[in-house]
């Protein structure tokens, strides 16, 4: 049904979507040692054995990535932060894909996570 609708009124290229993803990273620094042929390497303890996590929020369309933002470590998405990201994405959308803002209406596709469905977010989307 969606494919037949797309043939009469193309809309796939108007879809803008977003998602959040936790990224785990470990910036290991290994010390380089110059050793003689018979010398054994000196062992150094690991600085931090716990992995670090970082949340990235990415907005994209069929043309590519529109906007991304790395959150501060330990923070997560709230309705206020989501609305700020929405504003930033719309500004970048005007720069990168002006046709979605000027001529055709973009279609925002997002999941039903709590920050995406709050009253503040609904008001921001209607605006």
């Amino acid at each position: 049904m969606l494919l037949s609708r797309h043939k009469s009124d193309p809309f796939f290229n108007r879809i803008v979507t977003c998602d959040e993803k936790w990224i785990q990273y470990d910036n290991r620094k290994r010390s380089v040692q110059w050793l003689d042929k018979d010398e054994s390497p000196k062992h150094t303890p690991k600085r931090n054995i716990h992995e670090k996590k970082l949340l990235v929020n990415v907005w994209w369309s069929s043309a590519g990535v529109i906007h991304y933002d790395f959150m501060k470590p330990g923070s997560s998405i709230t309705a206020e932060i989501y609305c700020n990201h929405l504003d930033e994405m719309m500004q970048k959308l005007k720069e990168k894909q002006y046709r979605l803002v000027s001529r055709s209406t973009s279609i925002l596709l997002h999941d039903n996570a709590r920050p995406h469905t709050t009253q503040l977010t609904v008001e921001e989307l209607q605006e």
Side-chain angles (χ1 to χ4, degrees), residues 54-75:
L54 190 64
L55 185 65
V56 63
N57 187 16
V58 182
W59 295 81
W60 71 92
S61 70
S62 63
V65 174
I66 299 167
H67 173 68
Y68 63 91
D69 190 22
F70 292 99
M71 304 284 295
K72 292 179 182 176
S75 64

Side-chain angles (χ1 to χ4, degrees), residues 2-116:
L2 288 175
L3 288 175
S4 63
R5 178 181 169 203
H6 180 69
K7 288 178 185 176
S8 63
D9 177 27
F11 67 95
F12 286 146
N13 293 335
R14 295 182 359 215
I15 295 175
V16 175
T17 188
C18 73
D19 199 10
E20 298 90 18
K21 180 69 178 167
W22 284 102
I23 300 172
Q24 293 185 353
Y25 67 96
D26 183 13
N27 289 336
R28 293 184 185 181
K29 290 186 178 183
R30 302 196 184 269
S31 59
V32 178
Q33 299 175 15
W34 290 96
L35 303 172
D36 290 332
K37 193 174 190 178
D38 299 332
E39 191 177 1
S40 61
K42 296 177 185 173
H43 295 286
T44 55
K46 293 182 182 179
R47 294 186 337 163
N48 188 1
I49 59 172
H50 301 289
E51 294 179 342
K52 296 179 182 179
K53 291 192 329 183
L54 190 64
L55 185 65
V56 63
N57 187 16
V58 182
W59 295 81
W60 71 92
S61 70
S62 63
V65 174
I66 299 167
H67 173 68
Y68 63 91
D69 190 22
F70 292 99
M71 304 284 295
K72 292 179 182 176
S75 64
S76 61
I77 297 288
T78 62
E80 185 177 315
I81 291 172
Y82 185 74
C83 289
N84 290 338
H85 287 181
L86 188 60
D87 289 336
E88 292 173 15
M89 183 276 300
M90 286 303 291
Q91 290 299 320
K92 290 189 179 178
L93 188 63
K94 287 178 186 175
E95 297 170 10
K96 295 181 177 184
Q97 298 177 32
Y98 187 71
R99 64 177 174 76
L100 284 179
V101 179
S102 64
R103 286 185 241 140
S104 62
T105 306
S106 56
I107 300 169
L108 178 61
L109 175 67
H110 60 164
D111 57 15
N112 62 349
R114 197 166 287 260
H116 303 173

